[in-house]
Amino acid sequence: MAKILVTGGTGYIGSHTVVELHNAGYEVVILDNLSNSNIKILTQLHEITGKWHDFHEIDLQDDKAVQEFAENHTDISGIIHFAAYKAVGESVEQPLKYYKNNFYSLINLLTSFNKKINFVFSSSCTVYGQPDTLPVTEAAPVKKAESPYGNTKQIAEEILEETAAVTPDLNVIALRYFNPVGAHETALIGELPNGIPANLVPFITQSAIGKRGPITVYGDDYDTPDGSAIRDYIHVVDLAKAHVAAIKRLEENKAGTNYEVFNVGTGKGSSVLEIIAAFEKSTGTKLDYKIGPRRAGDIIQIFGDVRKSNEELDWKANLDLNEMMRSAWEWEKYIKANPF
Ligand code: WQD
C-alpha cells in the first residue's frame, strides 16, 4: 500500500484529502504544527475512516525536524503539501511571517525528501489575478499577486518548476484551486476559521447560526449580471478527490514531464448574491445581509477552464451548489453542538 505524507493534514482541505486517500487505499501520514487547526480532527478522521492515522506534530520551518522525519520515513512515496499560511488580509499586514513560513516549509520538504518523490502542491487561482479571458486556462499569464499570500503561491510554483527541471526524481503537480467550500457528508469535518471568517461561505454559516451579524456583500456595482463578484466555488470533497487523481497520475508517470499545473474548479461562476440565494434555498434558512463597499484587492470575476483536469487528471467536480451549501450548514450546526 503506497504511503502518502499529507502536510497540513488536520486542516480544512487536508483533512478531507486524508479521507479520500484512505478511501482510495492509500496509507496516510499526517504532519501538522496545529497552528491553524485542531488535533480533535484526528478523532473525527478515525470516526470517518475507522483508522487512527499516523500523526506527527512538526513545524515545517524546523529544518532539522523535517530532515529527521524524512530519514525515519523513507517509505513515503508521495507528498501532498497543504501546510502554509493562507489568510489574504493577514499576509498584507505580516508579509515576512508569510514568506518565511510558506517558503521555509516548502524548501525544507524538498531538501529533506530528496529521493524519488511524487509531490502535489496546493496552489491557487489567485495566481491569475483578474484574468483577461474567462474561463481561465492553465496557459493564462500569471499576474502580479494582489497580496503576499498570493505571491507565495506564485513563487512556490516557480521554485517547484525550476527544481523539478534539474531533479528527475522529483515529479510535481501544482493544483490551482478556485474557491473551496462545503464539508464532508458526515458533518464530522469542515472549515474551522480562526476568528471572524474572511471567506464568504463560513461567514454565511456563522451568520445563519447567530454567531455573527448580517453578511456584508462587498460591492454590488461590479460589471456582472447582478453587480456582485463572481467566483468558481468547488465542493471541498471534489477538491480532495482531485489530489488523489494527481497522485495517481504521478504514479503512472506518463506525463512526459515532471512539472504540471491543473485548474481545480467546476468551470462555473456564481455571484455572491447567487451564493446567498443558494444557501437560503438549500437550507430553508433566511439570511440577513446588506450591501457594503467593495473589498480592497478583490477581483471582479473568475472561473476556471477545467478541461485539462477533466481529460488528463481523469477527474471532474460532481457536487453542486446545493450540496456545497447544505453540507456547510450541517457542519456549522455540528460544530455548534460539539465545539472542539
Ligand atoms: C469570495 C467572494 C468577496 C466575504 C480567497 C483567496 C483564495 C482562497 C479563497 C485560500 C468575493 C465576497 C466575502 C464576505 C463578501 N484562499 N465576500 N462578503 O477572496 O475569492 O479567495 O479565499 O485558500 O486564494 O484569494 O474568497 O470567500 O474571501 O470571497 O461579499 O463577508 O465573496 O468579495 O467576491 P476569495 P472569499
Side-chain angles (χ1 to χ4, degrees):
M1 179 192 282
K3 187 179 282 191
I4 306 295
L5 169 63
V6 179
T7 73
T10 56
Y12 175 40
I13 306 167
S15 56
H16 286 84
T17 302
V18 167
V19 172
E20 298 310 324
L21 284 166
H22 172 83
N23 292 344
Y26 289 96
E27 185 177 351
V28 179
V29 179
I30 298 171
L31 189 156
D32 206 304
N33 68 358
L34 300 173
S35 64
N36 188 27
S37 60
N38 190 303
I39 195 152
K40 192 169 181 300
I41 290 293
L42 296 175
T43 307
Q44 307 299 91
L45 288 171
H46 175 257
E47 198 167 331
I48 294 170
T49 64
K51 185 170 182 180
W52 290 104
H53 300 280
D54 187 14
F55 171 71
H56 299 263
E57 185 176 352
I58 292 175
D59 187 329
L60 286 171
Q61 296 176 87
D62 179 345
D63 57 338
K64 290 183 177 43
V66 179
Q67 183 63 37
E68 184 183 353
F69 176 86
E71 286 163 1
N72 295 332
H73 293 82
T74 53
D75 55 350
I76 284 172
S77 62
I79 297 174
I80 303 180
H81 180 42
F82 293 104
Y85 294 149
K86 57 145 226 155
V88 174
E90 185 188 47
S91 78
V92 174
E93 291 153 20
Q94 303 183 61
L96 292 179
K97 173 183 175 182
Y98 273 67
Y99 288 120
K100 182 170 182 281
N101 181 55
N102 292 5
F103 293 153
Y104 279 33
S105 297
L106 175 64
I107 290 164
N108 286 341
L109 277 174
L110 294 174
T111 49
S112 299
F113 285 91
N114 53 15
K115 306 276 184 298
K116 181 157 179 47
I117 197 81
N118 294 323
F119 195 98
V120 180
F121 177 63
S122 167
S123 191
S124 169
C125 65
T126 202
V127 303
Y128 297 119
Q130 177 58 68
D132 301 325
T133 310
L134 288 172
V136 63
T137 73
E138 292 86 349
V142 167
K143 291 188 177 177
K144 172 86 180 77
E146 296 279 343
S147 68
Y149 157 77
N151 213 17
T152 67
K153 291 299 183 186
Q154 287 178 8
I155 296 169
E157 284 192 4
E158 290 168 9
I159 291 171
L160 285 161
E161 184 170 20
E162 290 160 5
T163 307
V166 295
T167 315
D169 274 350
L170 174 63
N171 291 314
V172 179
I173 284 179
L175 297 180
R176 290 175 177 169
Y177 308 161
F178 285 75
N179 286 57
V181 297
H184 193 258
E185 62 188 4
T186 59
L188 291 172
I189 53 175
E191 196 165 1
L192 275 173
N194 261 334
I196 301 173
N199 296 137
L200 177 64
V201 173
F203 195 99
I204 284 177
T205 57
Q206 289 192 11
S207 174
I209 209 152
K211 195 173 175 182
R212 304 286 168 207
I215 297 137
T216 303
V217 174
Y218 294 145
D220 70 344
D221 57 351
Y222 285 108
D223 183 15
T224 62
D226 67 16
S228 64
I230 290 171
R231 297 291 186 272
D232 182 336
Y233 297 91
I234 177 170
H235 197 293
V236 66
V237 171
D238 277 328
L239 177 57
K241 289 177 177 175
H243 292 78
V244 179
I247 285 286
K248 286 182 175 168
R249 178 171 174 84
L250 289 168
E251 287 172 339
E252 288 158 7
N253 199 17
K254 61 185 179 184
T257 170
N258 65 340
Y259 181 78
E260 293 185 290
V261 175
F262 291 95
N263 284 340
V264 185
T266 65
K268 180 181 176 303
S270 301
S271 74
V272 177
L273 291 171
E274 286 172 331
I275 292 295
I276 288 173
F279 181 86
E280 291 183 327
K281 181 167 182 279
S282 69
T283 64
T285 308
K286 190 89 184 78
L287 291 173
D288 183 10
Y289 68 90
K290 60 185 190 292
I291 304 297
R294 296 179 178 188
R295 179 172 67 176
D298 275 353
I299 60 170
I300 303 168
Q301 61 177 320
I302 188 168
F303 47 94
D305 181 323
V306 291
R307 284 174 296 175
K308 185 183 174 194
S309 292
N310 297 164
E311 290 153 18
E312 296 180 30
L313 271 191
D314 189 21
W315 166 90
K316 186 170 171 54
N318 289 309
L319 298 166
D320 63 10
L321 267 187
N322 178 62
E323 181 51 23
M324 291 180 214
M325 297 300 117
R326 186 204 65 77
S327 60
W329 182 227
E330 290 307 311
W331 161 249
E332 190 66 56
K333 290 187 287 185
Y334 172 85
I335 206 70
K336 178 174 184 178
N338 307 275
F340 282 4

